[in-house]
Amino acid sequence: MTYTIAPPAISSLPIIGSDQRFPIRRVFCIGRNYAEHAREMGASVDKSAPMFFCKPADAVVSDGADVPYPSATNDLHHEVEMVVALGSGGHDLTPEQAAALVWGYGVGLDLTRRDLQAQAKAKGHPWDVAKAFDHSAPVSALRRAADVTLDAHSVLRLSVNGELRQQTTLGEMVHGVPQIIAALSTLFELKGGDLIFTGTPAGVAALQRGDRFHAELLGVAELDGRIG
Ligand code: MN
């Protein structure tokens, strides 16, 4: 079998302590998963109904790479988030079944054209142009779940040009990782290669051309980059 044009490349991420790479199928994101961030956006958390959106797999940018300042915005925002990588999939999972799908963890930025998101919210339009643009998902190298100990005290943080912008502990998440995966699995059949951005804490703000960012899931993964 041959294709009429060259098939698109498979997006992938490096793995800490391995020469292999993790292939990316889909990128799912949860919105409003930290109450303080929901408040700063003028929204509230609906615990019974987690809110999801997606980014394309080829929006992922690897650690250390420049992120071009996107077109069509004057308000590019950072949202630091823990990223979960699934090693296998399923649908209609219990939280216990969902937890067993986790292959590894990383840290990423859910970059957002905040001005276009505000317009979309006002008009009742979808969020794609605000969230799913090219290079909108810088993600660190992944660490295998078997090598990770996370708990409610684990620290997630972001600094820009050496200044701390966002910091939280994972205990502040409204929906935990098994609950997020289980909820997603009622909406989509999940598969190995899926990444999940698990929401951002308070402190989101604008990035400018030339800014250098450093994101950490403390003791697990680090992400560095520069807005080009
Ligand atoms: Mn986000």
Side-chain angles (χ1 to χ4, degrees):
M1 206 263 300
T2 58
Y3 295 106
T4 54
I5 59 170
I10 294 177
S11 294
S12 65
L13 285 168
I15 297 162
I16 296 167
S18 169
D19 292 334
Q20 294 186 313
R21 294 181 70 90
F22 185 89
I24 302 167
R25 189 185 79 119
R26 294 187 185 175
V27 180
F28 298 101
C29 307
I30 183 169
R32 298 172 192 160
N33 200 31
Y34 289 82
E36 278 294 321
H37 170 64
R39 268 194 287 280
E40 76 180 345
M41 298 305 296
S44 59
V45 172
D46 184 348
K47 284 195 86 158
S48 64
M51 190 269 289
F52 297 108
F53 58 92
C54 299
K55 292 176 185 262
D58 68 357
V60 172
V61 178
S62 286
D63 180 44
D66 274 13
V67 176
Y69 195 93
S71 63
T73 185
N74 293 306
D75 198 17
L76 175 68
H77 269 209
H78 55 71
E79 296 190 358
V80 68
E81 310 200 5
M82 175 171 69
V83 176
V84 175
L86 302 189
S88 57
H91 58 84
D92 295 324
L93 304 169
T94 65
E96 293 70 27
Q97 293 168 325
L101 306 189
V102 177
W103 184 92
Y105 298 92
V107 61
L109 295 184
D110 165 17
L111 293 176
T112 303
R113 286 165 164 154
R114 194 70 75 197
D115 41 5
L116 297 193
Q117 187 193 34
Q119 290 171 23
K121 286 177 177 176
K123 293 178 178 173
H125 287 176
W127 286 11
D128 299 62
V129 299
K131 289 289 197 180
F133 54 92
D134 297 337
H135 313 288
S136 60
V139 179
S140 70
L142 300 176
R143 193 179 292 275
R144 293 173 192 277
D147 302 335
V148 174
T149 309
L150 291 172
D151 61 27
H153 304 290
S154 298
V155 172
L156 172 69
R157 66 187 179 196
L158 170 73
S159 51
V160 177
N161 302 327
E163 173 200 339
L164 185 66
R165 290 277 187 94
Q166 292 185 267
Q167 179 163 253
T168 192
T169 58
L170 298 183
E172 296 300 311
M173 295 171 78
V174 175
H175 303 278
V177 170
Q179 287 73 30
I180 294 170
I181 298 170
L184 266 177
S185 79
T186 68
L187 300 165
F188 303 94
E189 179 170 2
L190 301 175
K191 294 194 176 179
D194 290 344
L195 297 182
I196 303 170
F197 279 67
T198 58
T200 197
V204 301
L207 290 163
Q208 312 297 337
R209 290 173 180 80
D211 280 352
R212 293 182 181 280
F213 55 82
H214 177 69
E216 289 177 285
L217 181 58
L218 215 63
V220 175
E222 295 183 48
L223 168 70
D224 287 283
R226 178 179 163 278
I227 305 300

